[in-house]
Amino acid sequence: MKAVLFDLDGTLTNTLDDIADSMNYALNQFNLPSHPVDAYRYMVGNGARKLAERAVGGRTDLLDAVYGAYMERYKNHAADKTRAYEGTTELLKALSERGIKICVLSNKPHRDTITVVSHYFPDISFDAVQGQIDGVPVKPDPAGALTLAGKLKIAPSEFAYLGDTSVDMTCAVRAGMHPFGALWGFRDADELIKAGAETLLESPPDLLAYI
């Protein structure tokens, strides 16, 4: 392996509480019912707009308004409760010391991706960080992953892809990268295996044994 592509939410950082708080705040602004934090494990993963779509349920008439309120709220509250998973910083430093390229690809809006990465990993020099941007399909479409591989001039087959959902595993398979499933994230082992995970990891530093 010459590079590792990381998912962000549920892989490098536990962002669930801040996402849930911001979406529940947005829902409450329009008198819509909120959801338990744990329910958001299965709402996230496909981008902020899809998150809002799942959160509003049948109230699609309020989708745009809730999405806008969420985006505005999360912009200023992306680091209230979010924490880097134990071992992630050590893993990133170890990979860099080995000369392995490290990058982040998230379905989180690009602005928020940059905010979270820079806040929780200020001492890490990532080779590329990309969130959801206009004109690039979100994961599991492999376009974003292949774009990053092209920028780094590294073949997809020489990438390890670490993520915590079926979205990530499917993206890795479609991009021709090696899918590693993060068991500390938002989803379970069965989902990751069914989506094509080659290897399941119990903790972030476990990845080093395969690089």
Side-chain angles (χ1 to χ4, degrees), residues 17-31:
D17 283 324
D18 284 333
I19 290 172
D21 288 350
S22 290
M23 183 55 74
N24 283 338
Y25 171 88
L27 292 169
N28 290 338
Q29 300 310 296
F30 301 95
N31 297 314

Side-chain angles (χ1 to χ4, degrees), residues 162-203:
L162 181 61
D164 71 305
T165 70
S166 60
V167 169
D168 295 306
M169 300 300 97
T170 301
C171 180
V173 171
R174 291 178 179 176
M177 297 178 176
H178 297 277
F180 287 79
L183 293 176
W184 58 87
F186 297 162
R187 306 289 175 80
D188 59 27
D190 286 344
E191 175 178 324
L192 296 169
I193 292 171
K194 288 177 182 178
E198 291 180 7
T199 306
L200 299 181
L201 304 179
E202 294 284 349
S203 66

Side-chain angles (χ1 to χ4, degrees), residues 6-9 12-13 15 78 82 92 103-106 108 110-126 128-131:
F6 292 93
D7 173 49
L8 183 58
D9 296 345
L12 289 177
T13 54
T15 53
T82 291
L92 293 167
C103 53
V104 173
L105 178 64
S106 176
K108 184 189 290 294
H110 185 68
R111 176 197 66 194
D112 297 333
T113 299
I114 295 295
T115 295
V116 172
V117 169
S118 61
H119 182 85
Y120 290 99
F121 305 104
D123 299 326
I124 303 297
S125 296
F126 288 93
V129 177
Q130 182 173 305

Side-chain angles (χ1 to χ4, degrees), residues 71-87:
M71 291 292 287
E72 184 62 27
R73 171 77 177 185
Y74 189 74
K75 177 177 66 176
N76 298 312
H77 296 274
D80 289 357
K81 300 177 182 177
T82 291
R83 296 290 181 270
Y85 285 106
E86 183 176 356

Side-chain angles (χ1 to χ4, degrees), residues 1-4 6 12 86-102 124 160-162 180-181 184 199-211:
M1 304 292 178
K2 294 183 179 179
V4 180
F6 292 93
L12 289 177
E86 183 176 356
T88 52
T89 298
E90 292 78 6
L91 169 62
L92 293 167
K93 288 181 177 179
L95 290 170
S96 294
E97 289 169 358
R98 295 184 184 188
I100 303 297
K101 301 294 185 181
I102 52 175
I124 303 297
Y161 183 134
L162 181 61
F180 287 79
W184 58 87
T199 306
L200 299 181
L201 304 179
E202 294 284 349
S203 66
D206 292 347
L207 180 63
L208 292 172
Y210 300 89
I211 303 300

